[in-house]
Amino acid sequence: MELLIDPETQALADRVRRFIDTEVIPREPLATHPDGWPPEVWAEVRAAAKAAGVWAPQLPRELGGLGLTLSQCAPVFEAAGRSLLGPGALNCAAPDEGNLHLLERYATPAQRERYLLPLAAGMIRSAFAMTEPAPGAGSDPTMIRTQATRRGQRWVINGHKWFVTGADGAAFVIVMARTNPDVPASEGCTLFLVDADHPGLQLVRRIPGLGAHLPGGHCELRLVACEVGDEAVLGPVNRGFALTQQRLGPARLTHCMRWIGAAQRALEIATARAREREAFGAPLAQHQAVQWMLADSEIDLHAARLMVLHAAALIDHGDEARRETSICKVFVAEAVNRVIDRAVQICGALGIAHDLPLATMYAEARAFRIYDGASEVHRMVIARQVLRAAARQAAAADQS
Ligand SMILES: Cc1cc2nc3c(=O)[nH]c(=O)nc-3n(C[C@H](O)[C@H](O)[C@H](O)COP(=O)(O)OP(=O)(O)OC[C@H]3O[C@@H](n4cnc5c(N)ncnc54)[C@H](O)[C@@H]3O)c2cc1C
């Protein structure tokens, strides 16, 4: 990777790795609170991240970050992702990281003061609410049913959202709602900044499910006659889909980057175990079936890193890289699950015990094949492009 990552970025990634190894991983056993760590531990670790100069690598320097490009984020986020708590410690975890990106681009000066600056400083948390229970928006976001209706100079939002990561305890939620029912949803939705203490925004529940304890859980929300002014509109009215795409493209890649870090740690744990543990007269590492699992994981991780670096470089050069981010999303989500699964297998019964972080990673990684677009939906996007290209080639051949 030395040819693809500049020495300065690599040095920063090494520093982040040392921070995770010394400040985050030793505190993993304290993560028994519903939000992972209790608030005082989060505060302590985040202060340590600021002091160590590893805070918010993705944010511009004027917002207190390190000003990295998306490509430079790849090895740094990977190092942070070695612990599931690492990205939160550095303020580069989902959903805040994607929301910061969106606010940085579209917040008005007032929204910047009220939401962006405290979020960048780690004083508050945020959430992003697009998905709805059936028959609303899920894999197909154009099925959105949440409505924001104009009443005088105000908007009144009504709707039902779920799987809103981080909503419990967030200071505000970015809500996607339909603002023009007479046009296709892709041209008639708007993003709204809704304060969590707004009486029209109800936290129904934290949805219990597979996965680790991380800040705010995954929540079900109802918006009931939730009245907001124009100052709550984020970006242009009716441009919610375009803005969301700008958030989701890079956010899909940063998810991949963080997960590659977790999977790399899983491989290291499995490798160490294979070297120590003996069976049938030899260390596990000397049995070919185990060697092949290690090799397959190394191949998965190498391919994953190269794909992510390529897609990130395209985005840094102004390309939307929709095809490449979809390819990364499918491959990395599935590869990460394979790598963690193999690590569990190599560690045997110990693999599923909470003595190691593998069981937590295993539970948490499963959802990665669903959120930010299920693998099947990204495969559909990729296949459409393959078929369009084939149709163009056939048309060109007919004309020549
Ligand atoms: C842990 C977690 C965190 C999340 N966080 C957030 C969040 O913060 N904010 C937010 O708005 N949403 C969030 N989501 C929701 C997530 O984005 C949706 O779950 C996802 O878009 C899929 O929607 P759905 O669950 O309604 O699945 P459905 O739309 O019901 O689809 C179910 C399954 O059908 C299959 N499928 C769908 N379409 C096709 C197709 N065209 N071809 C073949 N198969 C298909 C896929 O296998 C898919 O998994 C989160 C989800 C999870 C699990």
Side-chain angles (χ1 to χ4, degrees):
M1 289 292 160
E2 299 82 52
L3 294 177
L4 301 176
I5 297 167
D6 65 84
E8 220 175 292
T9 304
Q10 190 55 57
L12 174 61
D14 294 343
R15 205 158 80 232
V16 169
R17 184 179 170 140
R18 280 194 298 278
F19 179 82
I20 299 296
D21 287 349
T22 56
E23 302 289 344
V24 176
I25 289 177
R27 288 181 172 92
E28 280 180 345
L30 303 177
T32 52
H33 186 274
D35 282 347
W37 287 319
E40 63 279 10
V41 179
W42 276 112
E44 190 181 290
V45 178
R46 289 179 143 214
K50 287 180 183 171
V54 295
W55 180 255
Q58 79 284 8
L59 284 181
R61 290 194 180 274
E62 63 270 21
L63 288 175
L66 302 178
L68 300 190
T69 63
L70 193 58
S71 312
Q72 289 172 322
C73 282
V76 174
F77 278 35
E78 176 181 335
R82 291 175 62 77
S83 169
L84 296 181
L85 296 153
L90 271 58
N91 203 11
C92 63
D96 289 341
E97 182 252 325
N99 292 343
L100 281 161
H101 181 71
L102 204 49
L103 287 165
E104 217 188 301
R105 286 185 168 204
Y106 291 102
T108 62
Q111 290 169 345
R112 196 181 149 86
E113 284 294 319
R114 184 164 176 175
Y115 301 107
L116 176 59
L117 298 183
L119 191 59
M123 291 157 59
I124 57 171
R125 289 195 291 99
S126 64
F128 186 86
M130 184 158 84
T131 307
E132 301 168 343
S139 294
D140 181 356
T142 66
M143 290 162 67
I144 186 162
R145 290 167 73 97
T146 298
Q147 293 261 1
T149 312
R150 199 72 175 149
R151 187 181 294 159
Q153 297 300 304
R154 314 273 295 166
W155 295 95
V156 181
I157 314 173
N158 284 288
H160 191 185
K161 300 283 186 184
W162 77 345
F163 283 94
V164 183
T165 300
D168 186 12
F172 67 96
V173 182
I174 302 177
V175 176
M176 169 91 110
R178 199 177 243 273
T179 34
N180 184 350
D182 302 326
V183 296
S186 57
E187 293 157 28
C189 287
T190 303
L191 296 178
F192 293 90
L193 290 155
V194 181
D195 291 333
D197 60 1
H198 193 299
L201 179 65
Q202 300 168 3
L203 175 69
V204 179
R205 60 175 177 145
R206 257 172 111 128
I207 303 168
L210 195 62
H213 291 173
L214 287 169
H218 307 294
C219 301
E220 182 175 347
L221 306 176
R222 275 193 190 275
L223 294 120
V224 182
C226 180
E227 194 177 314
V228 294
D230 284 331
E231 70 282 358
V233 174
L234 178 61
V237 171
N238 292 329
R239 296 278 296 146
F241 263 71
L243 265 64
T244 300
Q245 188 51 43
Q246 288 182 29
R247 178 190 184 278
L248 279 178
R252 284 180 180 129
L253 288 187
T254 52
H255 258 313
C256 291
M257 294 169 189
R258 290 182 290 256
W259 269 116
I260 290 171
Q264 174 63 37
R265 183 169 165 215
L267 174 58
E268 288 167 18
I269 291 168
T271 307
R273 182 71 178 165
R275 280 160 49 82
E276 286 161 19
R277 172 73 166 150
E278 297 207 354
F280 301 97
L284 293 176
Q286 286 183 23
H287 295 291
Q288 194 182 45
V290 172
Q291 290 175 358
W292 283 26
M293 284 197 271
L294 296 176
D296 286 344
S297 291
E298 182 72 4
I299 293 165
D300 271 337
L301 284 168
H302 187 65
R305 283 191 185 97
L306 291 177
M307 276 186 200
V308 169
L309 278 173
H310 176 242
L314 287 175
I315 291 181
D316 281 340
H317 284 87
D319 193 317
E320 274 200 332
R322 283 195 184 199
R323 173 177 160 273
E324 288 77 8
T325 45
S326 281
I327 291 173
C328 286
K329 176 62 185 49
V330 173
F331 184 82
V332 180
E334 295 182 1
V336 157
N337 272 275
R338 287 194 295 268
V339 172
I340 296 171
D341 183 71
R342 288 186 201 112
V344 169
Q345 193 69 16
I346 290 170
C347 292
L350 178 63
I352 62 139
H354 283 298
D355 296 6
L356 294 178
L358 298 178
T360 304
M361 287 180 188
Y362 185 84
E364 189 70 18
R366 183 60 183 84
F368 189 29
R369 287 170 51 200
I370 297 169
Y371 59 68
D372 281 0
S375 292
E376 294 73 21
V377 174
H378 285 289
R379 282 193 167 90
M380 176 184 77
V381 170
I382 298 161
R384 274 186 192 154
Q385 300 211 14
V386 171
L387 292 167
R388 269 192 220 121
R392 276 197 303 272
Q393 276 173 7
D398 283 349
Q399 280 172 3
S400 63

